[in-house]
Amino acid sequence: MSQHRWRWMVGAAAALVASLAWSVASAKPPKPLDWAALNPAFAGATFVNDTATCATCHGDYLEAYGKTKHAKAFAAKSPDGTGECESCHGPRSKHIENPTAELKIAAARSQSLVCAQCHEGGTRMGWKAGAHHTADVSCTSCHTVMTPKSERGLLKSATAAETCYTCHAEVRTDINKMSHHPVREGRMDCASCHNVHGSTPSLLTKATVNDTCFVCHTEKRGPYVWEHAPVRENCATCHTPHGSNNRNLLNAKDSFLCLSCHSYGGHINLPRYNRTSNPYGSGCVNCHTSVHGSNHPSGAKLTR
Amino acid sequence: MIRLMLLCVILSAAEASGQTAPPAPQAPPVEVSGSIASGVLGLDNSTNSAKLTEYRDLRNNFFVPDMNFAMADRTAGWYFGLSGVNVSRDDQTIRAEAGLFGRWRLKAGWVETPHNFSNKAVTPYIQRRPGVFTVPATVPITFKKLATAAADTAGVLASDDLIAAYQAAFLAPTPLAMQTNAGSFAARWLAVDSLALDVVYDRRDKSGSRPTYGPIGDRPPRTLNIQLAEPVDYNTNEVTLAAEHQGGQYQLRGEYQFSDFANQVDTMQWQNIYTNGQPGATYDVWDRSVSVFGVRPLSPDNRYHNLTGMFGTNLPKDSRFTATVAYGILEQNETLLPYSYNNDQLAVRTLPRVSAEAAINTLNFVADYTITPTPRLNLRAFYRSYDLNNDTPSSNWQYATQDTSNLNGTVSYVNKRVSLPYAWNRRNAGVDATWRLPARTSLLVGIERESMDRDYREADTAENIFRATLRTRGARWATFEARALLGARDGGDYHNTVTREGYWYTQSDGVDNNNPALTFDNHPDMRRYDVSDRIRQQFDVRANVTPRDLVSLSAYLRYRHDDFDSEVAPTQPLLGTGLPDQAAITPGGQLGRLEDKRTRFGVDAFTEVKAGLSFNAFLNFDRGTALDRSLEFNENNKANPSAVATAELGPWTRATSQWTAEHDDQTWSAGVGTTWQIVPDKATLIADYTASLASIDINYAGFGVTNFDGTPFPPNRQFAFSPPSTVSEDWHVINLRLEIPVREVVVVTSYTYENYALDDWMQADAAPWVESVGADTLLRDTSRSFQWGNRLFNLGTYLAPRYAAHIGFVGFRYRF
């Protein structure tokens, strides 16, 4: 990397560290959640701050809850002032006086605010601007806090894929197609490519499709002496990542994909041209093997 | 009195003895729990098809399907967990995690993924050392000519028979599979309550081989092509450092990532099985110099740096602002190969530079703002900017065609090529508003504009996108959602002559058909669909009902239509050139992808009939249709189309040389399942059936079915193409699992039946246009022409064929 770029990156990193240091030094304590804004019935309620009181009526939930990470974390350090249960369920003094369902937090966006008391940073920093939050998907749409049903992530189903299929059933059809990423084999899951808590286009883990694909397919990152322009722009120009009935996750059948953009003449314009083996093998890629880009001096036509 | 005193003593003694009674047992300070399942798997794969084990390691063996172990001290707050799936197999996953709540956390993971392409691939090649492939003998071709003519037919056909005989003698099985092992280690330290530091290390190793091709020879029709097993030996190391500060109402995060990809095999070199050069020579003399080896660089080593800063803050009125800035650098600088393996035969051998010097930098900026100004209104505004700048130098190169050269070593002017640094930037900006209406209903309306500028591409594009979503929950047990998206993309002026920048000869170098600076590269009526105009319409409807606690039903429908009509009109691309045919005019019918539609619908159902008995089912349908058009013309007559006005391979002006292809891609996917406690807490049966039935039809019409004058082509005609047979792929899986607790363990038995059937004309060795010679490892066009290019020496057709497999497992699970 050139010296100029090194200087730029070191300078930017220094600025970032300085910002962090200043922020830490000047940080104020977190502002408590306004429970009355989530549900007016909370107005005037205070925190009981005693799990045993909750257990007298809701003890049947606690056995399964005890196996969750929340329970283990709170056992070590209970939230200050609110106690374990009320840190999520809100001040329950009125509920003890009159046990009704009035103090439910029904609205999806309000539910998310509860979880955001602790889970607002990292990959969830962009949650409020993301497609899920905009579509009124709340944390409890996918997660179940009281019962561990999945190995990781406190999901509502046993796996991430099954959780996502609840709303995105069409993706399950794609995953079952001939050419697919190994999701149904358990080698990866939806979160391998998607940051479901974020706000990037298509909720990808990175800013672009290509940056996301390059996390695993680093051999295609290049850059190359000879670039294939649509490849450098967007892998989805040719591939459909959830699954395809065409080989290699292609959008169309071998030669026909290439023919939708190339019409130089001669063998380039027909699915069958007897000088080449277009309609068998891998079609155009039989010869144009370096279709993602070439590093050969004579690689202009991506044949080497 | 004495009795009273004695009674008091006795009572006191009783109370004292009660106080000193053994205390009630306390919960152990450290909780330990876990389970382990182990057993034996038996497999019967009828055809030994690699498709069954494409991403799985299935074989007769003892293994641990799953295990987990957890320890935690609730008082001290530390924990440790270990879990594994398919332990000891090549598709295993191992995860470990340890930490102290609120202070630090360590995570480690190891994921192995096989990727099997074939169990039946065959090749004559032997890898002598990494990336170098030789053969024990070459094909005894006596007919050494690449620039063949009709009179050479007998010689080329005789060569086909020699190749078939060679294959029968020298083909041997070769592995064709890759293995990816990915390890990760992450550490998080909460230095203080408001500052977290993260270090992540990822390592990914990919090894094995995958199918590729090694063409040698001039461009078609003179290509000597062979399918090969490309060696794969990749290592990727990544380090990510991050620091995140949680303030009162804001978060600030900085992250640096470095990724290094290394390919342990830089080049692939394969012996040309058709040549017999003099010992030590780099070439064999045919009617040109033909290299005795083909050489090609493999994926180059590369490095990636990324520095990201993220900020998010909560503001009044339930509003939030987030921003992200990220700067990235991609670079690779591999030493370049010579123009050709027989470089010593070339008149021009010096490269414009000796290494790639390839570098790209990216700058990403995102800002989002959401606010709830009134309880019933939510607004969101966003801006995204992504710049990809290509700093790779542009140089003038010689395209030495395919490791052959003219006997005088020259390269024609048309093969003077310029490497172009493609770059682009994209801007997105938009707002949307959500109104909370009565009756638990909400309405979202949004607009967005996306613009993309590109270097060295035909068009810059700008798109306006409109979105609307209506959601309602009319009753507690019913939700309904309808969405619409409309996008109008404008490709502006389409500059199909931009490809001239990829050549470094001047117009005066050649006033002929091969000079795109004089004529054109792609047909002027072609519009590349990724940069063309586009009207996009997408509609979604989704409903969910839960009439009773243990019954749920959901359904969805999606329709999307992309129309790429770009209002193409006839043009005269030669106008002003002074050529005799400068008035020639294109037909004006748009070529390329014209439209794309996709329809999906599905139903999901779940019910718990009674305690211990539940059913679930799903049915999905997916149909994609697309329409392509192109026009066949002779590329050797771009400057003088009238010279081929009545030829079969004719002029670019002739509308009757057009062809169309309508693609119809359908998939039915369905499944049913049940969980049944046959005997409550004693025996549980879990059963499910899944099916995926897919088909692809291509309705091909126009040139290829008939000649330009409507005369039908016989099937073995050199350009004849007709609607191919339906591609069909059917996959059925039945899973049965029975679990019976016996004291401390649960006995687990399972049985799986999988059936997979595939028919694909592109993988077949027989079709109207293709036949095999001797075996399916040598394919040629049914025209049996005199040209080498239509032969394909391959690893075998249907590399992962159909199968019927039985998989059984017997084992036990122990929980503690």
Side-chain angles (χ1 to χ4, degrees), chain A residues 24-56:
Chain A
V24 172
S26 61
K28 294 175 184 167
K31 195 174 162 187
L33 188 62
D34 182 355
W35 290 95
L38 304 184
N39 184 341
F42 276 113
T46 58
F47 291 99
V48 176
N49 197 1
D50 180 19
T51 306
T53 304
C54 307
T56 54

mmCIF file of all heavy atoms in Angstrom, chain A residues 24-56:
data_model
loop_
_atom_site.group_PDB
_atom_site.id
_atom_site.type_symbol
_atom_site.label_atom_id
_atom_site.label_comp_id
_atom_site.label_asym_id
_atom_site.label_seq_id
_atom_site.Cartn_x
_atom_site.Cartn_y
_atom_site.Cartn_z
ATOM 1 N N VAL A 24 -15.491 8.470 25.996
ATOM 2 C CA VAL A 24 -15.463 7.729 27.251
ATOM 3 C C VAL A 24 -15.310 8.688 28.419
ATOM 4 O O VAL A 24 -15.997 8.581 29.430
ATOM 5 C CB VAL A 24 -14.318 6.692 27.238
ATOM 6 C CG1 VAL A 24 -14.172 6.057 28.613
ATOM 7 C CG2 VAL A 24 -14.578 5.626 26.182
ATOM 8 N N ALA A 25 -14.405 9.652 28.224
ATOM 9 C CA ALA A 25 -14.128 10.583 29.323
ATOM 10 C C ALA A 25 -15.336 11.445 29.645
ATOM 11 O O ALA A 25 -15.589 11.799 30.792
ATOM 12 C CB ALA A 25 -12.928 11.459 28.954
ATOM 13 N N SER A 26 -16.097 11.802 28.626
ATOM 14 C CA SER A 26 -17.200 12.729 28.843
ATOM 15 C C SER A 26 -18.555 12.036 28.911
ATOM 16 O O SER A 26 -19.597 12.682 28.864
ATOM 17 C CB SER A 26 -17.223 13.774 27.725
ATOM 18 O OG SER A 26 -17.415 13.127 26.479
ATOM 19 N N ALA A 27 -18.578 10.713 29.025
ATOM 20 C CA ALA A 27 -19.849 9.979 28.961
ATOM 21 C C ALA A 27 -20.724 10.267 30.162
ATOM 22 O O ALA A 27 -20.247 10.416 31.281
ATOM 23 C CB ALA A 27 -19.578 8.489 28.871
ATOM 24 N N LYS A 28 -22.016 10.333 29.916
ATOM 25 C CA LYS A 28 -22.980 10.499 30.987
ATOM 26 C C LYS A 28 -23.686 9.156 31.180
ATOM 27 O O LYS A 28 -23.716 8.322 30.274
ATOM 28 C CB LYS A 28 -24.007 11.565 30.596
ATOM 29 C CG LYS A 28 -23.395 12.944 30.472
ATOM 30 C CD LYS A 28 -24.426 13.946 29.974
ATOM 31 C CE LYS A 28 -23.747 15.293 29.781
ATOM 32 N NZ LYS A 28 -24.559 16.219 29.030
ATOM 33 N N PRO A 29 -24.267 8.944 32.344
ATOM 34 C CA PRO A 29 -24.954 7.668 32.569
ATOM 35 C C PRO A 29 -26.165 7.531 31.655
ATOM 36 O O PRO A 29 -26.741 8.540 31.226
ATOM 37 C CB PRO A 29 -25.379 7.732 34.039
ATOM 38 C CG PRO A 29 -25.275 9.151 34.442
ATOM 39 C CD PRO A 29 -24.327 9.829 33.522
ATOM 40 N N PRO A 30 -26.558 6.287 31.319
ATOM 41 C CA PRO A 30 -27.689 6.079 30.419
ATOM 42 C C PRO A 30 -28.967 6.655 31.010
ATOM 43 O O PRO A 30 -29.197 6.624 32.217
ATOM 44 C CB PRO A 30 -27.798 4.564 30.300
ATOM 45 C CG PRO A 30 -26.547 4.010 30.868
ATOM 46 C CD PRO A 30 -25.983 5.028 31.781
ATOM 47 N N LYS A 31 -29.818 7.189 30.117
ATOM 48 C CA LYS A 31 -31.091 7.738 30.545
ATOM 49 C C LYS A 31 -32.070 6.595 30.706
ATOM 50 O O LYS A 31 -32.179 5.736 29.833
ATOM 51 C CB LYS A 31 -31.571 8.693 29.456
ATOM 52 C CG LYS A 31 -32.684 9.622 29.850
ATOM 53 C CD LYS A 31 -32.934 10.586 28.695
ATOM 54 C CE LYS A 31 -34.293 11.242 28.843
ATOM 55 N NZ LYS A 31 -34.613 12.043 27.674
ATOM 56 N N PRO A 32 -32.810 6.545 31.822
ATOM 57 C CA PRO A 32 -33.746 5.444 32.001
ATOM 58 C C PRO A 32 -34.855 5.487 30.956
ATOM 59 O O PRO A 32 -35.205 6.546 30.453
ATOM 60 C CB PRO A 32 -34.324 5.671 33.407
ATOM 61 C CG PRO A 32 -33.632 6.843 33.991
ATOM 62 C CD PRO A 32 -32.820 7.499 32.933
ATOM 63 N N LEU A 33 -35.404 4.295 30.666
ATOM 64 C CA LEU A 33 -36.482 4.187 29.691
ATOM 65 C C LEU A 33 -37.744 4.819 30.255
ATOM 66 O O LEU A 33 -38.074 4.635 31.435
ATOM 67 C CB LEU A 33 -36.705 2.703 29.374
ATOM 68 C CG LEU A 33 -37.660 2.365 28.239
ATOM 69 C CD1 LEU A 33 -37.161 2.922 26.927
ATOM 70 C CD2 LEU A 33 -37.843 0.858 28.144
ATOM 71 N N ASP A 34 -38.464 5.563 29.412
ATOM 72 C CA ASP A 34 -39.713 6.183 29.833
ATOM 73 C C ASP A 34 -40.819 5.155 29.597
ATOM 74 O O ASP A 34 -41.399 5.062 28.508
ATOM 75 C CB ASP A 34 -39.954 7.456 29.018
ATOM 76 C CG ASP A 34 -41.225 8.180 29.449
ATOM 77 O OD1 ASP A 34 -41.956 7.642 30.314
ATOM 78 O OD2 ASP A 34 -41.502 9.260 28.915
ATOM 79 N N TRP A 35 -41.160 4.383 30.642
ATOM 80 C CA TRP A 35 -42.128 3.291 30.485
ATOM 81 C C TRP A 35 -43.525 3.826 30.209
ATOM 82 O O TRP A 35 -44.294 3.196 29.468
ATOM 83 C CB TRP A 35 -42.124 2.420 31.752
ATOM 84 C CG TRP A 35 -40.871 1.631 31.901
ATOM 85 C CD1 TRP A 35 -39.774 1.987 32.635
ATOM 86 C CD2 TRP A 35 -40.560 0.394 31.274
ATOM 87 N NE1 TRP A 35 -38.795 1.031 32.511
ATOM 88 C CE2 TRP A 35 -39.256 0.039 31.688
ATOM 89 C CE3 TRP A 35 -41.243 -0.474 30.431
ATOM 90 C CZ2 TRP A 35 -38.626 -1.129 31.273
ATOM 91 C CZ3 TRP A 35 -40.621 -1.642 30.018
ATOM 92 C CH2 TRP A 35 -39.321 -1.965 30.434
ATOM 93 N N ALA A 36 -43.841 4.949 30.766
ATOM 94 C CA ALA A 36 -45.178 5.511 30.542
ATOM 95 C C ALA A 36 -45.375 5.875 29.073
ATOM 96 O O ALA A 36 -46.505 5.826 28.558
ATOM 97 C CB ALA A 36 -45.393 6.722 31.432
ATOM 98 N N ALA A 37 -44.286 6.215 28.389
ATOM 99 C CA ALA A 37 -44.406 6.521 26.969
ATOM 100 C C ALA A 37 -44.714 5.253 26.167
ATOM 101 O O ALA A 37 -45.344 5.306 25.107
ATOM 102 C CB ALA A 37 -43.106 7.152 26.461
ATOM 103 N N LEU A 38 -44.258 4.095 26.669
ATOM 104 C CA LEU A 38 -44.542 2.834 25.983
ATOM 105 C C LEU A 38 -45.973 2.385 26.230
ATOM 106 O O LEU A 38 -46.621 1.797 25.365
ATOM 107 C CB LEU A 38 -43.570 1.741 26.447
ATOM 108 C CG LEU A 38 -42.068 2.030 26.305
ATOM 109 C CD1 LEU A 38 -41.246 0.822 26.704
ATOM 110 C CD2 LEU A 38 -41.734 2.450 24.893
ATOM 111 N N ASN A 39 -46.448 2.617 27.429
ATOM 112 C CA ASN A 39 -47.812 2.236 27.795
ATOM 113 C C ASN A 39 -48.244 3.159 28.931
ATOM 114 O O ASN A 39 -47.680 3.116 30.026
ATOM 115 C CB ASN A 39 -47.851 0.768 28.244
ATOM 116 C CG ASN A 39 -49.266 0.294 28.553
ATOM 117 O OD1 ASN A 39 -50.172 1.100 28.782
ATOM 118 N ND2 ASN A 39 -49.476 -1.001 28.552
ATOM 119 N N PRO A 40 -49.217 4.024 28.690
ATOM 120 C CA PRO A 40 -49.626 5.003 29.721
ATOM 121 C C PRO A 40 -50.023 4.356 31.028
ATOM 122 O O PRO A 40 -49.956 5.002 32.088
ATOM 123 C CB PRO A 40 -50.814 5.717 29.064
ATOM 124 C CG PRO A 40 -50.596 5.542 27.598
ATOM 125 C CD PRO A 40 -49.945 4.200 27.431
ATOM 126 N N ALA A 41 -50.392 3.085 30.990
ATOM 127 C CA ALA A 41 -50.809 2.424 32.238
ATOM 128 C C ALA A 41 -49.654 2.314 33.225
ATOM 129 O O ALA A 41 -49.861 2.071 34.406
ATOM 130 C CB ALA A 41 -51.363 1.034 31.916
ATOM 131 N N PHE A 42 -48.418 2.516 32.768
ATOM 132 C CA PHE A 42 -47.264 2.463 33.663
ATOM 133 C C PHE A 42 -47.122 3.724 34.506
ATOM 134 O O PHE A 42 -46.336 3.741 35.454
ATOM 135 C CB PHE A 42 -45.965 2.280 32.857
ATOM 136 C CG PHE A 42 -45.656 0.849 32.494
ATOM 137 C CD1 PHE A 42 -45.684 0.434 31.177
ATOM 138 C CD2 PHE A 42 -45.321 -0.076 33.478
ATOM 139 C CE1 PHE A 42 -45.391 -0.870 30.845
ATOM 140 C CE2 PHE A 42 -45.022 -1.387 33.145
ATOM 141 C CZ PHE A 42 -45.062 -1.790 31.820
ATOM 142 N N ALA A 43 -47.860 4.742 34.156
ATOM 143 C CA ALA A 43 -47.692 6.019 34.847
ATOM 144 C C ALA A 43 -47.903 5.835 36.343
ATOM 145 O O ALA A 43 -48.900 5.260 36.782
ATOM 146 C CB ALA A 43 -48.676 7.045 34.300
ATOM 147 N N GLY A 44 -46.952 6.286 37.116
ATOM 148 C CA GLY A 44 -47.051 6.210 38.571
ATOM 149 C C GLY A 44 -46.569 4.897 39.160
ATOM 150 O O GLY A 44 -46.477 4.768 40.370
ATOM 151 N N ALA A 45 -46.263 3.916 38.322
ATOM 152 C CA ALA A 45 -45.830 2.611 38.836
ATOM 153 C C ALA A 45 -44.378 2.686 39.276
ATOM 154 O O ALA A 45 -43.583 3.460 38.739
ATOM 155 C CB ALA A 45 -46.003 1.537 37.787
ATOM 156 N N THR A 46 -44.028 1.858 40.262
ATOM 157 C CA THR A 46 -42.647 1.799 40.728
ATOM 158 C C THR A 46 -42.131 0.376 40.606
ATOM 159 O O THR A 46 -42.908 -0.574 40.445
ATOM 160 C CB THR A 46 -42.538 2.245 42.205
ATOM 161 O OG1 THR A 46 -43.387 1.381 42.984
ATOM 162 C CG2 THR A 46 -42.963 3.690 42.369
ATOM 163 N N PHE A 47 -40.804 0.231 40.689
ATOM 164 C CA PHE A 47 -40.197 -1.091 40.567
ATOM 165 C C PHE A 47 -40.291 -1.834 41.893
ATOM 166 O O PHE A 47 -39.942 -1.314 42.932
ATOM 167 C CB PHE A 47 -38.727 -0.966 40.136
ATOM 168 C CG PHE A 47 -38.563 -0.470 38.734
ATOM 169 C CD1 PHE A 47 -38.278 0.866 38.473
ATOM 170 C CD2 PHE A 47 -38.700 -1.340 37.664
ATOM 171 C CE1 PHE A 47 -38.131 1.328 37.176
ATOM 172 C CE2 PHE A 47 -38.550 -0.889 36.363
ATOM 173 C CZ PHE A 47 -38.271 0.445 36.108
ATOM 174 N N VAL A 48 -40.744 -3.075 41.810
ATOM 175 C CA VAL A 48 -40.832 -3.922 42.999
ATOM 176 C C VAL A 48 -39.444 -4.442 43.351
ATOM 177 O O VAL A 48 -39.070 -4.560 44.511
ATOM 178 C CB VAL A 48 -41.802 -5.099 42.732
ATOM 179 C CG1 VAL A 48 -41.831 -6.053 43.912
ATOM 180 C CG2 VAL A 48 -43.194 -4.566 42.415
ATOM 181 N N ASN A 49 -38.646 -4.754 42.300
ATOM 182 C CA ASN A 49 -37.240 -5.162 42.450
ATOM 183 C C ASN A 49 -37.105 -6.408 43.319
ATOM 184 O O ASN A 49 -36.261 -6.463 44.215
ATOM 185 C CB ASN A 49 -36.415 -4.000 43.015
ATOM 186 C CG ASN A 49 -34.919 -4.205 42.795
ATOM 187 O OD1 ASN A 49 -34.500 -5.205 42.213
ATOM 188 N ND2 ASN A 49 -34.124 -3.262 43.265
ATOM 189 N N ASP A 50 -37.972 -7.429 43.094
ATOM 190 C CA ASP A 50 -37.902 -8.653 43.886
ATOM 191 C C ASP A 50 -38.402 -9.811 43.014
ATOM 192 O O ASP A 50 -39.608 -9.984 42.833
ATOM 193 C CB ASP A 50 -38.745 -8.524 45.154
ATOM 194 C CG ASP A 50 -38.682 -9.786 45.992
ATOM 195 O OD1 ASP A 50 -37.733 -10.587 45.799
ATOM 196 O OD2 ASP A 50 -39.569 -9.984 46.847
ATOM 197 N N THR A 51 -37.475 -10.612 42.506
ATOM 198 C CA THR A 51 -37.849 -11.711 41.622
ATOM 199 C C THR A 51 -38.752 -12.722 42.318
ATOM 200 O O THR A 51 -39.640 -13.314 41.697
ATOM 201 C CB THR A 51 -36.573 -12.412 41.112
ATOM 202 O OG1 THR A 51 -35.716 -11.441 40.520
ATOM 203 C CG2 THR A 51 -36.907 -13.485 40.103
ATOM 204 N N ALA A 52 -38.545 -12.909 43.596
ATOM 205 C CA ALA A 52 -39.355 -13.896 44.327
ATOM 206 C C ALA A 52 -40.826 -13.534 44.277
ATOM 207 O O ALA A 52 -41.704 -14.412 44.219
ATOM 208 C CB ALA A 52 -38.861 -14.003 45.770
ATOM 209 N N THR A 53 -41.111 -12.234 44.292
ATOM 210 C CA THR A 53 -42.511 -11.807 44.218
ATOM 211 C C THR A 53 -43.122 -12.231 42.893
ATOM 212 O O THR A 53 -44.251 -12.730 42.845
ATOM 213 C CB THR A 53 -42.604 -10.280 44.382
ATOM 214 O OG1 THR A 53 -41.976 -9.906 45.614
ATOM 215 C CG2 THR A 53 -44.038 -9.810 44.353
ATOM 216 N N CYS A 54 -42.383 -12.051 41.824
ATOM 217 C CA CYS A 54 -42.873 -12.467 40.496
ATOM 218 C C CYS A 54 -43.070 -13.980 40.460
ATOM 219 O O CYS A 54 -44.025 -14.496 39.863
ATOM 220 C CB CYS A 54 -41.891 -12.057 39.406
ATOM 221 S SG CYS A 54 -41.445 -10.314 39.416
ATOM 222 N N ALA A 55 -42.181 -14.703 41.126
ATOM 223 C CA ALA A 55 -42.210 -16.167 41.055
ATOM 224 C C ALA A 55 -43.429 -16.761 41.741
ATOM 225 O O ALA A 55 -43.840 -17.878 41.420
ATOM 226 C CB ALA A 55 -40.935 -16.734 41.670
ATOM 227 N N THR A 56 -44.008 -16.016 42.659
ATOM 228 C CA THR A 56 -45.154 -16.592 43.362
ATOM 229 C C THR A 56 -46.293 -16.900 42.399
ATOM 230 O O THR A 56 -47.061 -17.823 42.610
ATOM 231 C CB THR A 56 -45.660 -15.633 44.461
ATOM 232 O OG1 THR A 56 -45.920 -14.358 43.866
ATOM 233 C CG2 THR A 56 -44.651 -15.489 45.574
#
